[in-house]
Amino acid sequence: MGNFVLGKYLPYDSIIHKMDPRAKILAMLLVLISIFIPAGYLGYAILAVVIVTTVLTAKLSLKFVWKSMKPMLFMLCFLLVVNIFAVKTGDVLIAFGNFEIYSDAVFNTIYIAVRLMLMIMVTTCLTATTKPLDLTLGIEDLLKPFKKVGVPAHEIAMMISIALRFIPTLIEETERIMKAQASRGVDLQEGKLKEKIMAILSLIVPLFVSAFQRAEDLANAMEARGYAPGQRRTRYKQLRFHFRDYMLLVCSAGLVAAVAVLALVL
Amino acid sequence: MSIEFNKVSYIYSEKTPFEYAALHDIDLLIKEKKMTAIIGATGSGKSTLVQHLNALLLPSGGKLKVLDFEIVAKEKATNLKALRSHVGLVFQFPEYQLFEETIMKDLCFGPKNFGASDEEAQKKAIHALKLVGLDESYLEKSPLDLSGGQKRRVAIAGILAMEPDILVLDEPTAGLDPQGAVQMMSLFKELNQKYAKTVLVVTHDMEHVLNYCDEVVVMKKGTIYAHTTVKEFFKDTSYLDELHILPPAIVRVRQMLNERGFHLPSDCYDMKQLCSAIAKEVKHHG
Ligand SMILES: Nc1ncnc2c1ncn2[C@@H]1O[C@H](COP(=O)(O)OP(=O)(O)OP(=O)(O)O)[C@@H](O)[C@H]1O
Ligand SMILES: [Mg+2]
């Protein structure tokens, strides 16, 4: 559990850490768009270079980024298997009797894998360099224009920030209950299916009980302090755009444009 | 057959930016069949230390021996389940580990995991429930419907039902009413004396240390700061001041009287002894 790094904030000191969360969120969206533009090998090479540079500028190690991608490996393997059975175009790569693996199946998977990896790298750049609280402030601000059409910006931000706040708590809680049950002889690795189900049950039930308990306590504590969702409220921390934030947006927009042009030319 | 720590160190989240060394080169020998208190300021590493005893945490450096089991850092540990059946660990706030529909089932959970048959497990469960002072009418209730203190008892009974040789308790009385706390501590003492179990208690309550324990281990910033018998420990109050530990009431009374001219012996630790010592001295003067 301690090794679970996807979405974890890393408190380093880099220019990317200092940027305005709103700029970072918008830049991330722009880069995600450019990842979805099919611009061939050259396009993806450019994107990969830009994104890896960003990762290094943020003082994140490539090992950390690799770790956050690990949970996706399983999905990619699954995808590869599906593709092998479903895609029957391109050249035959390998043939076992009358079962053939086509080149497009492999290429399709690699294509998706590359895009997925780039996407995870970009989102990691955002979440690892932005405190969860700043992230929600940014989301709230960006959603504000949509308030007029009935999007409850503040409530959404509050829900996200509470959810983010409780992820580490729940992980800690899970760890603790796992240890407590391990002391009672639960073995999550070995054992028969029935024992495994029992082991998972012994983890899930206490976890839910305490999560609900926590939710109720938190709701009561918020109400006791006069929290009302619709109220206008001021903020301690004011977000401000600096020159570097404008530069980030200009650069990301430039990247989208460049990739789009490349896609049209090809 | 005792517990032996040999240069044990432990680092949380090793090799990440969150790395934190919680234990440094711990050398510690805990005697068999004694009741040992582990004290120290919050964050000094008490919980980290005790989780090594049933291999929930494996040392980052050094080695430790518990009963016949040896755990060496960086070597693959085997037979952890067998070790855990011999060392019962009760966590801080153990009531969160209850999960079955009935108390009976929850108490049987541990013994069954360690291979007891249904009948055996039920027998152990009933016995354990009696030990913690609850009667059989509770067996069919849901553990989630109990009060906090009752839940705590059931959770402790869940560990006792495994009949471990070594019982480790991490702040077992935190949040209990004073009377409940005394009952709990008496129970552990009874298990120690009547059933010859080795008991380790992490506690912040010096009265409990004085009244129930034989030995005391003081932790400070991830190291063992002191390890003596309880009697020795409360003899020298200047040492306690240094550790910012408020001595038990009886030690304070003795200390205050001595400061005001009495000459009470430093080894009287119960009310009766103290009173007769005071009476003797008053008579002597009068
Ligand atoms: N899961 C963890 N990850 C990182 N650091 C931890 C973890 N658990 C404990 N620590 C750190 O290790 C140190 C020792 O913690 P430990 O829980 O052993 O203290 P303790 O002596 O039991 O304190 P208390 O009396 O408050 O229970 C603390 O400084 C704590 O911040
Ligand atoms: Mg503790």
Side-chain angles (χ1 to χ4, degrees):
Chain A
M1 277 287 169
N3 288 325
F4 190 80
V5 296
L6 188 64
K8 204 176 200 170
Y9 171 68
L10 289 183
Y12 294 128
D13 173 39
S14 79
I15 179 162
I16 296 184
H17 281 75
K18 290 198 200 97
M19 284 178 180
D20 189 300
R22 291 170 298 181
K24 280 193 267 188
I25 295 171
L26 287 176
M28 182 192 77
L29 292 176
L30 287 172
V31 178
L32 285 182
I33 290 171
S34 63
I35 291 174
F36 275 103
I37 299 174
Y41 294 116
L42 185 59
Y44 284 107
I46 294 174
L47 280 172
V49 169
V50 171
I51 291 169
V52 169
T53 315
T54 318
V55 168
L56 295 178
T57 316
K59 298 191 182 166
L60 305 175
S61 69
L62 289 175
K63 209 169 126 204
F64 173 81
V65 178
W66 170 243
K67 261 191 180 169
S68 25
M69 281 190 243
K70 263 192 193 157
M72 299 293 155
L73 283 181
F74 172 74
M75 224 174 85
L76 285 175
C77 291
F78 183 70
L79 195 70
L80 180 65
V81 172
V82 171
N83 271 343
I84 283 175
F85 282 103
V87 179
K88 296 288 177 199
T89 55
D91 310 322
V92 177
L93 282 184
I94 313 167
F96 303 103
N98 55 6
F99 178 77
E100 291 157 337
I101 295 178
Y102 289 86
S103 59
D104 279 7
V106 177
F107 281 128
N108 265 351
T109 313
I110 293 177
Y111 186 57
I112 293 174
V114 167
R115 287 210 281 192
L116 208 61
M117 271 159 63
L118 291 177
M119 276 161 62
I120 293 172
M121 276 162 97
V122 174
T123 33
T124 304
C125 273
L126 177 70
T127 53
T129 64
T130 320
K131 289 197 195 96
L133 199 64
D134 290 343
L135 209 54
T136 44
L137 286 184
I139 293 172
E140 184 177 351
D141 275 5
L142 290 174
L143 285 178
K144 241 180 212 157
F146 300 102
K147 238 179 177 165
K148 296 209 179 62
V149 291
V151 177
H154 169 73
E155 285 80 352
I156 289 177
M158 178 59 91
M159 265 155 43
I160 296 175
S161 66
I162 290 176
L164 287 176
R165 157 68 187 75
F166 278 97
I167 288 172
T169 313
L170 283 180
I171 290 178
E172 219 170 82
E173 191 99 353
T174 313
E175 251 171 25
R176 221 188 46 184
I177 295 170
M178 259 160 104
K179 280 185 185 167
Q181 305 299 26
S183 302
R184 294 212 276 169
V186 169
D187 194 339
L188 277 171
Q189 260 101 52
E190 286 153 44
K192 292 193 262 328
L193 185 66
K194 191 174 163 248
E195 285 168 21
K196 267 198 181 138
I197 292 174
M198 205 58 185
I200 291 170
L201 214 59
S202 77
L203 183 65
I204 301 275
V205 174
L207 198 59
F208 269 70
V209 170
S210 83
F212 281 119
Q213 185 70 48
R214 252 176 228 285
E216 197 180 330
D217 288 350
L218 182 68
N220 286 337
M222 282 168 78
E223 264 183 64
R225 289 197 275 171
Y227 177 78
Q231 227 70 301
R232 230 181 71 78
R233 51 200 339 113
T234 53
R235 230 184 232 175
Y236 172 64
K237 186 164 181 174
Q238 302 287 342
L239 298 177
R240 266 185 50 217
F241 261 62
H242 293 272
F243 178 66
R244 55 174 181 248
D245 302 313
Y246 291 113
M247 281 314 291
L248 178 68
L249 288 181
V250 170
C251 291
S252 342
L255 186 69
V256 178
V259 175
V261 168
L262 205 59
L264 286 179
V265 172
L266 286 179
Chain B
M1 288 286 276
S2 53
I3 300 168
E4 207 180 319
F5 283 75
N6 209 320
K7 295 243 174 303
V8 169
S9 58
Y10 186 79
I11 303 171
Y12 280 107
S13 323
E14 201 171 358
K15 301 200 184 94
T16 73
F18 303 95
E19 194 168 270
Y20 183 86
L23 295 180
H24 312 276
D25 286 341
I26 299 275
D27 280 317
L28 182 65
L29 195 120
I30 289 170
K31 292 193 191 103
E32 215 185 343
K33 304 201 166 86
K34 291 268 193 225
M35 188 146 163
T36 304
I38 299 175
I39 63 173
T42 70
S44 55
K46 306 181 294 294
S47 302
T48 310
L49 182 81
V50 295
Q51 284 174 49
H52 280 80
L53 294 172
N54 69 348
L56 287 177
L57 297 180
L58 299 172
S60 311
K63 64 177 176 187
L64 76 150
K65 237 161 106 183
V66 182
L67 301 171
D68 298 327
F69 301 87
E70 193 169 56
I71 302 165
V72 183
K74 313 254 158 29
E75 275 180 33
K76 194 163 161 39
T78 51
N79 236 348
L80 295 186
K81 200 164 165 177
L83 170 62
R84 284 175 193 158
S85 73
H86 291 287
V87 182
L89 178 67
V90 179
F91 270 84
Q92 241 162 330
F93 302 109
E95 43 274 30
Y96 292 115
Q97 72 200 37
L98 304 172
F99 76 100
E100 285 276 21
E101 303 125 75
T102 68
I103 290 176
M104 176 58 125
K105 279 190 183 172
D106 209 279
L107 294 180
C108 290
F109 183 64
K112 272 189 183 162
N113 280 331
F114 291 119
S117 69
D118 282 4
E119 260 170 56
E120 274 174 316
Q122 287 181 8
K123 230 161 71 193
K124 289 178 179 182
I126 293 170
H127 180 63
L129 195 66
K130 255 190 219 142
L131 280 178
V132 296
L134 296 175
D135 60 62
E136 288 185 30
S137 69
Y138 283 92
L139 283 173
E140 294 309 316
K141 282 191 185 160
S142 159
L144 303 179
D145 292 341
L146 302 177
S147 78
Q150 288 169 330
K151 275 188 200 164
R152 175 82 53 96
R153 281 162 201 247
V154 171
I156 292 176
I159 300 290
L160 294 182
M162 289 158 31
E163 299 183 345
D165 303 318
I166 299 176
L167 187 62
V168 186
L169 305 127
D170 196 346
E171 300 190 34
T173 60
L176 286 187
D177 61 300
Q179 196 191 350
V182 165
Q183 282 171 0
M184 274 292 144
M185 291 305 293
S186 312
L187 164 66
F188 304 142
K189 188 81 201 167
E190 186 187 328
L191 289 168
N192 169 241
Q193 297 199 318
K194 214 159 111 190
Y195 298 88
K197 292 193 194 299
T198 308
V199 179
L200 274 101
V201 203
V202 175
T203 180
H204 288 288
D205 190 328
M206 293 306 133
E207 304 287 343
H208 291 167
V209 176
L210 177 64
N211 293 328
Y212 300 99
C213 298
D214 306 307
E215 304 228 336
V216 57
V217 172
V218 186
M219 294 200 63
K220 191 175 173 184
K221 294 186 183 150
T223 58
I224 304 291
Y225 190 73
H227 181 191
T228 58
T229 63
V230 166
K231 289 202 168 129
E232 203 60 41
F233 185 65
F234 288 116
K235 218 177 225 167
D236 185 3
T237 47
S238 60
Y239 184 57
L240 295 177
D241 286 342
E242 198 181 302
L243 287 168
H244 302 289
I245 290 173
L246 188 65
I250 202 151
V251 175
R252 288 211 305 276
V253 170
R254 189 190 72 210
Q255 181 190 359
M256 286 179 189
L257 288 171
N258 278 349
E259 277 167 13
R260 285 162 182 72
F262 276 80
H263 301 283
L264 301 170
S266 59
D267 61 346
C268 59
Y269 289 117
D270 67 58
M271 205 59 95
K272 257 193 201 144
Q273 271 180 7
L274 188 70
C275 288
S276 59
I278 295 172
K280 210 162 95 192
E281 212 159 295
V282 170
K283 265 189 210 134
H284 189 74
H285 272 272

